[in-house]
Amino acid sequence: MGRGSRQDRRRGRHGRPGHLALKIAHALGAEVVQFTRTMDKADEARALGADDVVLSTSPEQMAAQRGRFDLILDTVGAPDSIEPYMSALAMDGTLCIVGIPAGDLTVSPLSLIVGAKNIAGAGSGGIRDTREMLDFCAEHGIVADAEMMRPDQINEAIDRLDRNDVRYRFVLDMTGQPS
């Protein structure tokens, strides 16, 4: 991915790597587009580096994406159909899954054959790749957005996780706690 690459990323929930994917793709010089189920995240996505935001629940907006993307990075960790995103891929495009949804993925073989499209998965990449990515993030000032919580707020944090009310991850601050 780099300059001229048309990349989409879809934000996951509960502190998934989605917000970092936006920042990193933008820093790499890619055209970055976010698919979202609600437009209330549009301004936030643009602030994180998205050039465009597409409402994935709009048939009209999704139809306009047909054949647009070389790469779609799927960070969603919840069950979701990937079929609409397969049609958004360009010839030889790849849907790379980094979120881990429960259950199996279902895709029509025709979605892969027409346009020679690919589905891939990616994990952490190992020590060398992780070090390289951390160096890149340091060079570009890219950090994970986190909300600090005290240990006495753990129940509130869990409740907010259940309500999907997290931007983008919680960090439990144990400083000053007895050991």
Side-chain angles (χ1 to χ4, degrees):
M1 180 183 348
R3 296 213 184 282
S5 181
R6 296 164 308 195
Q7 189 257 356
D8 157 69
R9 61 118 334 262
R10 296 168 49 205
R11 183 177 356 263
R13 299 184 310 180
H14 303 324
R16 302 277 188 238
H19 76 290
L20 289 172
L22 274 172
K23 292 177 179 186
I24 292 168
H26 178 78
L28 286 168
E31 176 188 355
V32 184
V33 177
Q34 165 144 355
F35 286 104
T36 183
R37 291 180 180 272
T38 61
M39 290 306 281
D40 63 347
K41 298 176 185 175
D43 290 339
E44 186 177 7
R46 286 186 179 92
L48 291 169
D51 298 300
D52 193 8
V53 179
V54 174
L55 184 62
S56 63
T57 56
S58 165
E60 297 80 17
Q61 287 189 32
M62 290 302 289
Q65 307 313 307
R66 182 173 292 282
R68 181 177 179 187
F69 301 101
D70 300 312
L71 172 68
I72 296 178
L73 182 62
D74 187 343
T75 66
V76 176
D80 194 22
S81 173
I82 63 172
E83 283 295 332
Y85 305 99
M86 295 302 292
S87 66
L89 289 170
M91 175 75 84
D92 292 320
T94 299
L95 174 73
C96 182
I97 299 169
V98 296
I100 305 173
D104 296 333
L105 294 174
T106 304
V107 63
S108 164
L110 201 55
S111 294
L112 295 168
I113 295 167
V114 174
K117 296 170 185 169
N118 307 286
I119 297 176
S124 66
I127 292 171
R128 185 179 53 180
D129 289 341
T130 300
R131 184 175 295 128
E132 183 180 320
M133 185 54 61
L134 288 172
D135 290 344
F136 178 86
C137 289
E139 280 178 35
H140 292 86
I142 297 171
V143 297
D145 295 332
E147 184 176 341
M148 301 297 286
M149 303 288 283
R150 296 182 318 271
D152 64 322
Q153 294 175 300
I154 190 73
N155 289 331
E156 175 189 342
I158 292 169
D159 289 342
R160 287 183 54 201
L161 281 169
D162 288 341
R163 292 192 317 270
N164 196 24
D165 180 29
V166 182
R167 296 287 187 263
Y168 291 92
R169 61 191 69 243
F170 287 135
V171 173
L172 194 58
D173 183 359
M174 299 299 289
T175 58
Q177 299 300 309
S179 43

